[in-house]
Amino acid sequence: MRTMGGEQVEEAVAGAVALLRTLVDRDWEAARAGRLEWSCRYTAEHIAGDLLAYAGQLAGRATDAYVPFEITLDDGTGNEDVLNVIETTGALLAATLRTTPREVRAFHPYPFRSANREGFAAMGVTEVLVHTHDIAEGLGLAYEPPAGLCEDVLTRLFPHVQPATDPWRTLLWATGRGELPGRAPLTAWRWNNNLVIPAGRLTLQGVTPAAATDLAAGGDGGFVWVEGGPFQGTRDAAGMLLKAYEAGVHRPEWGMFVLVRAEDGRAVGGMGFHGAPGEDGRVEIGYDLAVSARGNGYATEALRALSAWALEREEVASVFATTDPGNTASQAVVLRAGFTRVADDEEQFAYELRR
């Protein structure tokens, strides 16, 4: 799987700086940056500030808020010098991404109050791409970054946005900067880092469309798996997530999670919802574990945590699960997690957990 990290940040920064260097003799203070209320000069400084802030969040392992510092440029700093600062802060973020362990998460407010290194890489790349577009537009120059970078960002930060044939135009639309055929213009937007739910010895890590694509194709989804993982059910669930994403109906918080062991960062299985809650407030849940991870209580811990998280949502009245009649191990899991058996037939047993 193509990892989102320092290489992508460097690619985005190099392309942006190369373009903007052709414009350093222009008055960036007098020109408004695209549709923003900011000047082109302020927007360039904003890029540098965000790259540094993201590096600081990860390097400092900030967990509750932004680290309280910001970048200030010296008086008399010219446009070329600003680009040097962007290159420097981009290099700092890239270096931080390369040295940050996979399981580290740091504070970011939208929407689940944390992001991992891939999330910060994707946010950094997004800032560079869209604000370079703003500056270029304000100074009358066309800009189009590589499609692969745009797709990297969309499949990690914009899982709620239906993909289209042109990733760059889709990203511009998703960030309120352009039009896309068949879609109403956006006046407000947010990106969406993956949700992570603690579950005792595990964390439940939300699967992005990028990870789902790799899992469905037989890859590891960017996770380090225990022996024999992932199980086929996890790959099938990834395929279902991918279909929902491509159809534009994927809601990330009601998608799929990979169960990651806290002690060593290894993935042991998958768990998730079959879709968003229905009008009756019922949401269905499913799960599986790699064979080598079974018999340790992981599925029970994860099911308790994910069910509790779901029942805390206003739109959920009950969590539903089914098992095959012959799968006594799975039946024991749902019962230990507090579910009650509500129906059965020759095809499946049904269980429910209510508020």
Side-chain angles (χ1 to χ4, degrees):
M1 167 178 181
R2 176 177 159 105
T3 301
M4 189 83 186
E7 181 179 345
Q8 285 73 30
V9 171
E10 290 168 340
E11 182 182 2
V13 168
V17 168
L19 177 77
L20 296 179
R21 278 211 165 100
T22 67
L23 303 169
V24 292
D25 60 340
R26 303 280 295 277
D27 186 350
W28 291 13
E29 286 283 6
R32 176 175 165 179
R35 303 184 185 191
L36 303 179
E37 298 296 329
W38 302 341
S39 70
C40 290
R41 171 57 182 254
Y42 180 86
T43 304
E45 294 179 8
H46 175 81
I47 293 173
D50 278 340
L51 294 173
L52 181 62
Y54 294 158
Q57 291 299 98
L58 276 178
R61 307 293 195 261
T63 58
D64 299 319
Y66 283 116
V67 178
F69 74 97
E70 61 183 31
I71 192 169
T72 302
L73 276 62
D74 294 341
D75 291 341
T77 299
N79 294 337
E80 173 66 31
D81 296 322
V82 175
L83 296 181
N84 291 338
V85 175
I86 291 175
E87 288 179 315
T88 300
T89 54
L92 288 171
L93 177 56
T96 303
L97 292 166
R98 291 190 172 104
T99 56
T100 299
R102 187 194 180 283
E103 292 304 304
V104 168
R105 297 186 73 85
F107 174 83
H108 189 278
Y110 307 123
F112 303 118
R113 302 186 67 77
S114 74
N116 61 9
R117 65 186 185 192
E118 276 211 335
F120 278 103
M123 289 187 289
V125 170
T126 301
E127 296 285 356
V128 173
L129 300 188
V130 301
H131 288 315
T132 299
H133 162 80
D134 296 333
I135 298 169
E137 186 175 60
L139 296 173
L141 193 66
Y143 167 66
E144 183 159 348
L149 271 182
C150 301
E151 188 171 359
D152 282 340
V153 165
L154 288 166
T155 55
R156 288 168 173 84
L157 284 187
F158 296 88
H160 51 293
V161 172
Q162 183 178 16
T165 55
D166 188 328
W168 176 227
R169 300 292 174 265
T170 305
L171 181 58
L172 289 177
W173 175 83
T175 56
R177 287 172 168 80
E179 297 180 355
L180 210 56
R183 305 190 195 183
L186 296 180
T187 57
W189 63 275
R190 293 287 190 204
W191 51 42
N192 196 318
N193 279 293
N194 67 324
L195 172 64
V196 172
I197 299 172
R201 296 172 293 166
L202 308 169
T203 57
L204 280 65
Q205 301 186 12
V207 173
T208 64
T213 299
D214 190 62
L215 283 167
D220 58 18
F223 296 90
V224 180
W225 289 85
V226 295
E227 182 182 355
F231 200 64
Q232 186 59 43
T234 295
R235 298 197 186 281
D236 293 342
M240 293 172 59
L241 185 158
L242 193 56
K243 288 180 180 179
Y245 170 64
E246 292 171 345
V249 297
H250 176 50
R251 290 180 59 185
E253 67 270 33
W254 301 109
M256 172 188 173
F257 300 80
V258 165
L259 316 183
V260 178
R261 212 159 48 193
E263 66 180 21
D264 59 4
R266 291 187 173 271
V268 299
M271 182 173 290
F273 303 103
H274 291 191
E279 293 183 0
D280 60 357
R282 190 175 80 169
V283 64
E284 185 171 356
I285 202 166
Y287 53 89
D288 68 18
L289 291 180
V291 174
S292 64
R294 295 176 185 175
N296 296 292
Y298 295 140
T300 300
E301 287 183 30
L303 185 57
R304 284 174 180 158
L306 191 55
S307 299
W309 180 88
L311 290 171
E312 290 174 355
R313 315 275 83 76
E314 290 185 3
E315 64 265 46
V316 176
S318 65
V319 181
F320 186 76
T322 62
T323 69
D324 293 333
N327 192 343
T328 57
S330 186
Q331 292 161 25
V333 167
V334 292
L335 291 173
R336 285 196 298 267
F339 284 66
T340 300
R341 187 161 152 182
V342 293
D344 60 75
D345 56 34
E346 294 181 357
E347 298 292 327
Q348 62 183 14
F349 294 167
Y351 301 82
E352 189 177 49
L353 182 64
R354 302 190 66 85
R355 287 175 184 251

